[in-house]
Amino acid sequence: MDLKSTYNRIARDWTKDHHRDIWWVKGTEKYSSFFEPKASILDVGCGAGEKSKYLVKKGFAVTGIDFSDEMIKLAKEQIPAGSFFVKDIKKPLEFENLFDGVFAQAVLLHIPKNEIVGVLKNIVAPLKSGGYFYAAVKELRPGNKDEEVVKRNDYGYEYEIFFSYFSLDELKDYFKKVGLRIIYKNITSFGKTNWIQIIAKKILQT
């Protein structure tokens, strides 16, 4: 089963399961501090809209995208007045307007390492010069694989999901290649996972 089909299948169960996660709050609060009220933010891989709702409550104009049709349905249920679209970040996103911020939490961890730079280019393209980018990924643990397909049975049925794991140094290299300068980084432990949260600024183009 491909990743999109997996998320379409587990959408509602996954959303309930992760509703109480809090590891992301510190980094997201920091990210929010860089914006004026009503700033436009693109929530990439928005899932069921949990973080979109959080950002909307901060006073931002949020647009959410995800490749899972079922996740987008849930997002529209949670935030009826929101703007949510089915889009695949492995393809150009084709937005007419640019955004003050792009937010990509637990998204790049599903992208193979040999595709990261191309995907980053796609999701940074609609970000204004001088705008702010947020990403959160799982940290690579010493001696572990940096890519793997994990089989799970969390919700009473089996499914497979692909993960990439990263070091802070390699993230710095990827970000530099797409014109992003890191201005904040944080590693938070939650359960068995170390989450790397990074905020970067898109370098002004002349």
Side-chain angles (χ1 to χ4, degrees):
M1 184 177 289
D2 62 76
L3 191 65
K4 178 175 180 175
S5 299
T6 294
Y7 269 111
N8 278 336
R9 183 181 186 188
I10 69 174
R12 198 168 292 274
D13 290 326
W14 186 94
T15 300
K16 290 179 182 177
D17 189 33
H18 290 271
H19 181 68
R20 298 186 184 278
D21 289 358
I22 58 172
W23 61 264
W24 53 272
V25 174
K26 182 177 180 180
T28 305
E29 281 291 308
K30 181 68 175 179
Y31 181 67
S32 299
S33 71
F34 289 100
F35 299 101
E36 298 293 330
K38 299 183 180 180
S40 58
I41 296 178
L42 176 64
D43 185 0
V44 174
C46 66
E50 288 289 326
K51 310 313 182 302
S52 293
K53 183 164 61 176
Y54 187 89
L55 293 168
V56 166
K57 287 181 178 179
K58 292 285 184 182
F60 306 131
V62 180
T63 298
I65 62 170
D66 201 285
F67 71 165
S68 166
D69 306 77
E70 292 302 316
M71 285 292 193
I72 290 297
K73 285 181 183 177
L74 292 175
K76 288 179 177 179
E77 288 175 15
Q78 283 210 77
I79 315 171
S83 298
F84 296 98
F85 305 95
V86 176
K87 285 182 179 286
D88 187 345
I89 59 175
K90 291 187 177 182
K91 301 174 183 178
L93 298 182
E94 299 180 340
F95 281 103
E96 292 183 5
N97 300 321
L98 296 178
F99 295 87
D100 298 309
V102 171
F103 184 85
Q105 188 174 100
V107 176
L108 297 177
L109 51 74
H110 291 314
I111 304 299
K113 297 288 184 79
N114 62 358
E115 299 178 27
I116 286 289
V117 172
V119 168
L120 275 172
K121 286 180 179 178
N122 287 342
I123 61 181
V124 168
L127 179 62
K128 294 177 181 177
S129 292
Y132 295 96
F133 177 76
Y134 167 102
V137 298
K138 295 185 176 185
E139 184 181 34
L140 174 63
R141 293 184 180 275
N144 287 8
K145 296 178 180 179
D146 65 350
E147 295 182 330
E148 66 176 343
V149 175
V150 177
K151 293 184 178 182
R152 291 181 173 171
N153 192 357
D154 309 83
Y155 312 125
Y157 51 85
E158 291 186 351
Y159 62 96
E160 295 183 346
I161 195 162
F162 173 86
F163 286 106
S164 290
Y165 307 98
F166 300 86
S167 69
L168 190 53
D169 284 341
E170 68 178 316
L171 289 171
K172 289 177 181 177
D173 184 55
Y174 291 137
F175 280 33
K176 185 177 180 180
K177 287 179 179 177
V178 298
L180 294 170
R181 178 171 57 84
I182 294 175
I183 58 175
Y184 170 87
K185 55 186 180 293
N186 169 266
I187 299 178
T188 301
S189 294
F190 187 78
K192 297 180 180 179
T193 301
N194 288 339
W195 287 95
I196 301 175
Q197 296 183 83
I198 288 178
I199 299 170
K201 189 171 184 178
K202 189 172 183 179
I203 298 171
L204 292 170
Q205 299 172 346
T206 56

